[in-house]
Amino acid sequence: MPETYDAIVLGLGAMGAAATYQLARRGARVLGIDRYAPPHEFGSTHGDTRITRIACGEGPEYSAFAARSHDIWRELEGETGLDLLTQNGFLAISGAGNRSANHGVAQFLDATVAAARFAGVSYEILDGATLRRRYPALNVADGDQAYHDTVGGFARPENCVTAQLRAAVARGAELRLGETVLSFVQQHGSVSVATNKQTYSASQLIVAAGAWLPAMLKPALAANFMVTRQVLYWFRARSEAAHAEFSPERFPVYIWQLPAPQSIYGFPATGGLDEGVKLATEQYDVATTPDSVSRSVPAEEVRAMYETYVEPFFPGLSPVCVRSKTCLYTWVDKARFIIDRHPDSDRVIVASPCSGHGFKHSAGVGELLAEMVTIGRKPDPRFAF
Ligand SMILES: Cc1cc2nc3c(=O)[nH]c(=O)nc-3n(C[C@H](O)[C@H](O)[C@H](O)COP(=O)(O)OP(=O)(O)OC[C@H]3O[C@@H](n4cnc5c(N)ncnc54)[C@H](O)[C@@H]3O)c2cc1C
């Protein structure tokens, strides 16, 4: 007889770790399974930092998740002693003329202001001269302006996964790491999950497989998702003084709608001069898969990034790229999330809250997923397949 659980969570990245923790916290008998040992570098939840903001220009339906995540991370910091959340402020910068969209939203600064009002977040609007004075690291133009709040900042994705898995195990969750789910099927009022090692059974299954999700769905459902390769860069500042301008005490996280093809987003320095300063753009043009993606970053790609997106806007950063990483977005049209019951199997919950902005919501999404299992909570219909 297969072992039986209240819930199995397939995938223990940002979403699966959060769901496992929240299920265990509610006293559910839960098994989490991952093909690797999260946190790891093969999916979507690595690279030291993720922007978090409660004013979400992607839509007002997201803010409550981010706000809950902040509360949950603060509680977990107390329990685990890990560093999870830094609220050093958030800037959404834009300006006159044609600007790149962010997550499909052309007027991202205006949308962020609307979201802040909706969520009750206090903010200020800064003009170009004020921005330059306050943040000398940014080469903003005279006509540029920015939204600024002090509740945004950055989360530590690897630590968040570790903290939630640790807290889940402390509450009785079982984990199987290095074990790959090959198939799942709903039958006789339960879900049977077969891995490369054994078969388990649960009352409900949460599929939080990130970029591996499309390959687990029939083509008609998989067509909702596009997996894209993203690159993170850490450039070294030109001097200790230039590096200091990026310290979290002085420098917020930012999303900058540029005249260049893409927006750029970035973080304060989280280490010394030789650890560089992290920033990135996004690409949505070329689809890939976790198995076929190129994980190396050639020198020409680094050079093009520096020339187009770094040198013109960050005069204190040198062309020396001390580190780069590839990562995967699982994109849904209009940067939406899909959190819904599987159309053919009502005991299977599919969770794909990514579209390049999911991390900040993950702890709150974990709570929703757990309550879908334990009390039949219904997700917002905007997250339906
Ligand atoms: C470069 C980059 C920058 C980002 N920046 C931000 C940001 O600044 N702010 C923000 O809020 N969000 C950001 N995001 C989005 C956010 O990081 C993702 O939405 C989130 O990490 C996705 O988590 P996940 O749990 O869905 O996927 P993952 O963390 O990838 O987890 C999926 C897990 O499923 C496991 N798995 C898959 N298949 C199987 C199987 N068959 N059997 C067992 N296990 C399996 C995998 O091993 C993996 O651990 C960014 C994403 C990227 C890639």
Side-chain angles (χ1 to χ4, degrees):
M1 282 290 286
E3 289 189 65
T4 299
Y5 297 87
D6 295 324
I8 292 175
V9 180
L10 189 177
L12 300 173
M15 306 304 158
T20 304
Y21 166 53
Q22 293 295 339
L23 281 160
R25 200 175 160 172
R26 285 164 176 73
R29 185 152 189 247
V30 55
L31 172 69
I33 308 176
D34 202 287
R35 64 196 309 152
Y36 300 112
H40 61 75
E41 299 211 331
F42 305 107
S44 308
T45 308
H46 57 282
D48 300 351
T49 48
R50 289 289 185 271
I51 290 181
T52 180
R53 49 198 156 86
I54 290 172
C56 297
E58 291 84 356
E61 64 272 30
Y62 298 103
S63 294
F65 287 132
R68 273 303 292 152
S69 297
H70 286 195
D71 292 345
I72 294 165
W73 290 329
R74 287 290 182 224
E75 275 171 37
L76 283 167
E77 282 181 331
E79 180 173 331
T80 63
L82 291 169
D83 172 14
L84 306 183
L85 173 65
T86 303
Q87 287 171 288
N88 62 319
F90 163 60
L91 282 178
I93 312 171
S94 194
N98 262 350
R99 297 290 170 140
S100 53
N102 187 63
H103 296 152
V105 181
Q107 306 298 329
F108 191 74
L109 194 159
D110 296 343
T112 300
V113 169
R117 289 192 179 139
F118 179 83
V121 172
S122 304
Y123 66 93
E124 56 184 339
I125 299 294
L126 308 176
D127 62 19
T130 309
L131 278 168
R132 275 200 302 272
R133 199 170 50 248
R134 231 191 246 185
Y135 311 112
L138 301 174
N139 184 22
V140 291
D142 276 340
D144 285 358
Q145 58 168 357
Y147 162 100
H148 175 248
D149 71 40
T150 54
V151 292
F154 61 93
R156 299 287 198 157
E158 291 91 346
N159 282 359
C160 289
V161 168
T162 300
Q164 288 169 115
L165 292 181
R166 215 182 265 174
V169 169
R171 288 164 177 78
E174 293 176 41
L175 306 183
R176 302 276 186 277
L177 306 181
E179 193 164 330
T180 302
V181 173
L182 303 177
S183 64
F184 54 84
V185 59
Q186 179 169 331
Q187 54 190 4
H188 316 306
S190 64
V191 186
S192 173
V193 177
T195 73
N196 57 341
K197 298 196 175 151
Q198 57 178 306
T199 299
Y200 307 93
S201 172
S203 178
Q204 300 190 56
L205 169 68
I206 296 173
V207 181
W212 287 264
L213 173 67
M216 292 180 184
L217 300 172
K218 285 187 202 153
L221 290 181
N224 284 286
F225 307 97
M226 179 178 177
V227 175
T228 57
R229 172 182 177 272
Q230 307 294 331
V231 184
L232 302 165
Y233 300 87
W234 286 258
F235 285 95
R236 191 179 194 275
R238 293 185 187 280
S239 64
E240 287 286 0
H243 186 77
E245 297 295 352
F246 289 96
S247 70
E249 296 74 32
R250 291 196 210 171
F251 193 73
V253 298
Y254 60 89
I255 296 174
W256 192 346
Q257 292 187 270
L258 296 174
Q262 299 291 342
S263 296
I264 192 163
Y265 66 91
F267 301 83
T270 54
L273 180 64
D274 290 335
E275 285 156 87
V277 177
K278 178 181 161 187
L279 38 72
T281 57
E282 299 180 308
Q283 79 83 19
Y284 303 108
D285 303 331
V286 187
T288 188
T289 69
D291 297 328
S292 62
V293 66
S294 164
R295 295 187 186 270
S296 62
V297 184
E300 312 84 75
E301 205 174 343
V302 174
R303 196 174 322 113
M305 173 72 184
Y306 185 76
E307 286 171 3
T308 311
Y309 291 100
V310 182
E311 191 173 30
F313 306 105
F314 304 89
L317 295 182
S318 78
V320 179
C321 182
V322 298
R323 187 152 69 111
S324 61
K325 292 266 171 225
T326 58
C327 193
L328 297 165
Y329 278 1
T330 305
W331 177 261
V332 176
D333 187 37
K334 299 192 172 61
R336 276 194 319 116
F337 291 175
I338 289 185
I339 306 172
D340 196 4
R341 291 193 181 265
H342 192 294
D344 304 330
S345 308
D346 63 352
R347 289 177 176 275
V348 176
I349 295 165
V350 176
S352 182
C354 182
S355 289
H357 63 109
F359 191 82
K360 67 183 74 56
H361 305 298
S362 55
V365 166
E367 209 169 46
L368 165 64
L369 294 170
E371 289 180 359
M372 287 174 76
V373 169
T374 56
I375 56 169
R377 184 174 156 194
K378 301 237 183 306
D380 188 311
R382 283 172 286 196
F383 304 145
F385 267 107

